[in-house]
Amino acid sequence: MPDHQPYVPATQAPPELTPRALVLGVVLGLIFGASNVYLALKIGLTVSASIPIAVLSITIFRALGRSTILENNIVQTTGSAADSVSAGVVFTIPAILLMGYDLDIGRVAVLAVVGGLMGVLMMIPLRRALIVKEHDTLPYPEGTACAEVLIAGEKGGVHAKTVFQAFGLAFVYKFLMTALKLWQEYPTKVLRWFQGAEVRMEVGPELMGVGYIIGPRIAGYLFAGGCLAYLVLMPAIKLFGGTMTTPMYPATTLIKDMSAGEIRAAFVFYIGAGAVATAGIIALARALPTIVSSFQASFADLRASRVGQAVSQRLRTEDDLPITLTVFGSLALAVVVAFLPQIGVNLLGAVLIIAFGFFFTTVSSRICGQIGSSANPISGMTIASLIAISLIFLLLGWTQIDDRVRAISIACVIAVAVANGGNTSQDLKTGFLVGATPRRQQIAILIGAVAAALAVGWTLTFLNRSYQFEVPETRAGFTAPASGRSADGNVVVLNESMSGFHIGGGARIDSASYPVLRVYAETMRVPPGKYLIDPATHEIRYVVDPGIGGRIHEYEGRELKRLDSPKATLMALITDGILTRRLPWALVLIGVFLTIGIELMGVQSLPVAVGVYLPLSTSAGMFAGGVIRWLVERRMASQQRSLAEVESGPGVLFSSGLIAGGAIAGILVAGIAGAKGSADWLADTVGLYHLLGGVATSSLVALVLFAVLGVLLYRVGLRRA
């Protein structure tokens, strides 16, 4: 075993797993967890909250009185569980919306709790192998950086003023921009001389913060993918398809009549899906040597641990929860999820969860140890699991709608377990360096995972309902079945109705009552979703477009805010593509070979593929943050300052505050939209943007304000910690 001396010796036992540490960890975890849900829905990425939570904990406890480094470690351990739970759930479960179902808080909570707990339990027997025995070979970058922050805080060198300032600034900035509409959120330039092309930028503070944290390289790849989609693929489709006299599947409109956004939704969307899926699988294949060595090392350690020390002789810093808890706890969770009728995961699903969960949790932990959480290909592992699950279902003939939902549910548990397993290993590395008690850390992250799991379902459904719009829609030749259900079961008239809603989120209200129609698989060119039908003729009158993954982005000249949820949409495409065989494979294969071409050029394909899939406005906002990070790194290099200062310096803390403040403001605006039926209600009521006139609608003003925010981030990034 490597010679390692923790900051707090094993012979000392300062306060650690205290009630106040757990409460503060849960509260901070819920705040950063909510912001990560918002980020994952908008851009398909999450960011680690361990360091900002550790900084906030040190400052808050210092204001309340003295605290120990181990208490602060428990706070960040408890709070950081929200990152992984949010990522695993948001990357998968919203796919159910695209299949015509509503999100159910109970279902989301159960799947998140099971996955979160499994990720921790499966990491318990791996701790000694990966954290202790390979201390010198697996650095766990985020875990090590967090330990350095905690130690600096113990010596009086860390404060949270930077995080609080950034949080307040971003919250006010985002609220004034989106709730009061004092300046443009999406400065746009339509290139009329280049048909099918459009340049947009979302000037949100949270995107700038994400771009700074992920760095110029990844941010540049994301932006390059967006440029490829918006300035190459979309104009090419417009150019070559403009002379077609019939719509090209899956579109129902002539290409010459389609806007840039419609071309993206109908065609580029599927190209991006194929690119991302292929890039995820390639990233996973690249990790195969790591997978093999990880399993060899892990099982060797498990065999050796049978002759381990007795509990009474074990040092405090070597005290784990018993391995029997891993075995019986995982089995118990699998049985629960298999036999709860409202979840719909059967016994085979439970077996797949345990098999894929343990396999990829081991992989996730080792990859985090080598290259950090930000490069951990969770989506690739989830895609591989989902493809395997869908193929097994296809061979068994399980191709009905409920089977598709079952496949997504199984993938959700695996994704949460894999994400939480990697996150747990980072926390245990931090604890190993500062001298924490593993058992107490494991208990803390179990509590944090449960709290986050219970909150993430509410946050998801809240955001979905807040940005839901009832938009008028007609479908010629389609009539809902009079009996309530079509012969194949893909179209169902439910025993419920809707009335009194704002039409398209505007001022007009339709007070009539309409029966609700569910379409679970495309029927007569009617895509899956929720519709309102005329009670007399049974013809479609409205589509109830969800806030997450909604397909309608504009109505009567008004932009309808959507949360694209790119990763979950990809999961829905994979499941439907395998089980229904209706996917436009020609478009998907273009994305597949696009990724292969990028890999052959020696470029990391996953962020480029994600950039193709994301709106250009989103990747442009992150690219701005990446450019600022690049400028900070160049200036520091010229001053002969270590670039390690950038990783845990004031710029990262300020960016974390920008992310949290912007995301929480976005959730608040969503709440206003949900309560008043329109995201513009407050702006219309106050009316300030009418007084500002052209200033409020000027793209230049929005870009200047965003640039000012960037200059401020640059100056903070150059400060010494």
Side-chain angles (χ1 to χ4, degrees):
M1 185 182 298
D3 183 20
H4 162 71
Q5 296 298 323
Y7 185 80
V8 178
T11 53
Q12 297 180 12
E16 187 171 3
L17 190 66
T18 61
R20 67 174 189 169
L22 288 174
V23 170
L24 182 58
V26 167
V27 170
L28 293 177
L30 293 180
I31 293 172
F32 282 94
S35 67
N36 264 326
V37 168
Y38 185 79
L39 277 182
L41 290 174
K42 280 183 69 70
I43 63 176
L45 297 172
T46 59
V47 293
S48 174
S50 293
I51 289 177
I53 287 177
V55 171
L56 290 171
S57 173
I58 293 166
T59 304
I60 292 170
F61 278 159
R62 190 173 288 164
L64 297 176
R66 187 67 180 164
S67 65
T68 70
I69 188 173
L70 300 189
E71 272 187 299
N72 289 319
N73 181 54
I74 288 294
V75 173
Q76 73 83 18
T77 297
T78 308
S80 65
D83 302 341
S84 47
V85 172
S86 300
V89 170
V90 179
F91 287 173
T92 52
I93 210 65
I96 291 174
L97 284 169
L98 306 176
M99 298 176 180
Y101 281 80
D102 277 332
L103 280 179
D104 177 64
I105 294 180
R107 169 189 287 273
V108 177
V110 170
L111 294 175
V113 167
V114 171
L117 295 181
M118 274 193 174
V120 182
L121 295 178
M122 290 175 175
M123 185 57 211
I124 291 172
L126 300 175
R127 187 192 70 85
R128 286 180 58 78
L130 301 181
I131 308 297
V132 180
K133 291 196 172 183
E134 297 201 46
H135 169 58
D136 294 331
T137 56
L138 293 178
Y140 287 96
E142 284 95 340
T144 301
C146 191
E148 292 172 356
V149 168
L150 289 170
I151 292 170
E154 186 74 1
K155 297 176 180 178
V158 173
H159 58 82
K161 183 179 178 182
T162 303
V163 182
F164 285 123
Q165 287 175 337
F167 182 95
L169 175 64
F171 184 91
V172 171
Y173 181 104
K174 180 86 172 182
F175 189 81
L176 294 178
M177 178 177 66
T178 58
L180 296 181
K181 297 176 65 176
L182 298 190
W183 61 88
Q184 281 284 323
E185 185 178 3
Y186 296 94
T188 304
K189 179 66 176 176
V190 177
L191 306 179
R192 302 193 185 280
W193 49 270
F194 191 22
Q195 287 195 8
E198 182 181 79
V199 179
R200 306 183 81 203
M201 183 177 191
E202 183 177 354
V203 291
E206 69 277 14
L207 296 182
M208 180 176 286
V210 170
Y212 188 93
I213 288 176
I214 63 177
R217 187 179 182 85
I218 301 300
Y221 285 157
L222 287 166
F223 186 60
C227 291
L228 177 62
Y230 278 72
L231 301 178
V232 179
L233 296 177
M234 286 159 56
I237 291 170
K238 189 78 170 182
L239 175 65
F240 294 111
T243 58
M244 295 180 66
T245 55
T246 56
M248 186 174 75
Y249 182 79
T252 57
T253 308
L254 291 176
I255 290 177
K256 67 179 181 180
D257 298 328
M258 297 173 73
S259 66
E262 290 170 334
I263 290 174
R264 174 182 176 265
F267 304 113
V268 178
F269 179 78
Y270 294 100
I271 296 173
V276 173
T278 307
I281 293 171
I282 289 174
L284 185 60
R286 192 177 282 123
L288 279 176
T290 298
I291 295 171
V292 174
S293 63
S294 176
F295 262 75
Q296 289 174 341
S298 300
F299 282 117
D301 183 71
L302 287 177
R303 285 194 298 268
S305 67
R306 293 175 184 171
V307 219
Q309 296 169 301
V311 175
S312 58
Q313 299 175 332
R314 195 174 296 158
L315 294 174
R316 177 185 62 79
T317 52
E318 296 175 7
D319 183 22
D320 290 281
L321 288 171
I323 194 172
T324 51
L325 184 62
T326 293
V327 177
F328 294 111
S330 298
L331 290 175
L333 289 169
V335 168
V336 167
V337 80
F339 292 104
L340 274 178
Q342 62 267 39
I343 302 303
V345 174
N346 55 21
L347 196 57
L348 175 61
V351 172
L352 293 174
I353 285 171
I354 290 179
F356 285 116
F358 184 73
F359 182 82
F360 284 125
T361 294
T362 306
V363 175
S364 175
S365 178
R366 184 169 283 272
I367 290 176
C368 285
Q370 292 177 332
I371 54 179
S373 299
S374 56
N376 191 8
I378 293 171
S379 57
M381 290 183 260
T382 307
I383 289 169
S385 301
L386 189 56
I387 290 174
I389 293 163
S390 299
L391 289 173
I392 291 170
F393 281 18
L394 184 64
L395 292 174
L396 294 174
W398 297 355
T399 57
Q400 301 304 309
I401 287 295
D402 288 346
D403 297 316
R404 292 174 230 167
V405 175
R406 180 178 293 118
I408 292 293
S409 299
I410 295 169
C412 175
V413 177
I414 294 169
V416 175
V418 169
N420 211 25
N423 186 71
T424 300
S425 61
Q426 293 283 5
D427 291 331
L428 291 175
K429 180 70 169 188
T430 302
F432 178 72
L433 294 173
V434 302
T437 308
R439 174 188 292 263
R440 292 170 182 168
Q441 270 195 288
Q442 290 154 2
I443 292 172
I445 203 166
L446 286 170
I447 293 171
V450 171
L454 295 176
V456 70
W458 180 86
T459 309
L460 265 182
T461 52
F462 172 76
L463 289 170
N464 181 59
R465 289 171 184 165
S466 297
Y467 288 126
Q468 173 182 290
F469 296 101
E470 291 78 21
V471 183
E473 181 165 297
T474 57
R475 292 285 175 171
F478 178 88
T479 304
S483 62
R485 179 180 291 269
S486 63
D488 57 9
N490 288 333
V491 180
V492 179
V493 180
L494 301 181
N495 187 26
E496 61 180 83
S497 61
M498 285 185 61
S499 62
F501 49 82
H502 291 259
I503 300 175
R508 290 180 297 146
I509 296 179
D510 191 332
S511 56
S513 181
Y514 296 91
V516 175
L517 172 76
R518 293 281 188 183
V519 178
Y520 294 118
E522 185 175 321
T523 305
M524 297 179 64
R525 294 210 166 184
V526 177
K530 182 178 180 179
Y531 299 87
L532 304 181
I533 58 174
D534 189 299
T537 65
H538 274 219
E539 295 177 342
I540 291 176
R541 290 288 176 263
Y542 292 92
V543 57
V544 183
D545 207 36
I548 299 174
R551 55 186 171 82
I552 300 174
H553 294 262
E554 186 179 339
Y555 176 67
E556 293 185 340
R558 294 179 62 253
E559 183 172 14
L560 306 183
K561 291 179 182 286
R562 329 302 296 150
L563 296 169
D564 288 327
S565 189
K567 295 289 178 64
T569 308
L570 176 60
M571 303 302 170
L573 285 175
I574 290 170
T575 308
D576 269 346
I578 294 175
L579 297 182
T580 68
R581 303 168 187 171
R582 294 187 180 184
L583 203 61
W585 283 105
L587 294 171
V588 173
L589 287 174
I590 291 174
V592 169
F593 290 107
L594 178 65
T595 290
I596 292 173
I598 293 170
E599 283 286 339
L600 291 175
M601 288 188 288
V603 175
Q604 189 177 349
S605 64
L606 186 56
V608 179
V610 171
V612 173
Y613 194 73
L614 286 174
L616 178 63
S617 56
T618 301
S619 56
M622 290 188 285
F623 182 61
V627 170
I628 294 168
R629 171 75 172 260
W630 176 73
L631 293 172
V632 169
E633 289 178 350
R634 281 176 59 88
R635 182 69 180 274
M636 282 191 166
S638 68
Q639 296 174 349
Q640 296 185 340
R641 292 166 60 185
S642 168
L643 291 181
E645 292 182 49
V646 183
E647 296 295 337
S648 57
V652 170
L653 294 179
F654 194 82
S655 296
S656 299
L658 291 179
I659 292 167
I664 297 301
I667 293 173
L668 177 61
V669 173
I672 295 172
K676 297 298 181 179
S678 170
D680 298 335
W681 174 83
L682 187 61
D684 292 334
T685 303
V686 176
L688 281 177
Y689 75 99
H690 291 303
L691 298 175
L692 291 174
V695 173
T697 57
S698 169
S699 294
L700 180 60
V701 170
L703 292 173
V704 167
L705 290 172
F706 194 59
V708 170
L709 187 65
V711 170
L712 183 59
L713 174 58
Y714 173 75
R715 292 177 63 86
V716 172
L718 290 177
R719 290 180 190 166
R720 294 188 180 272

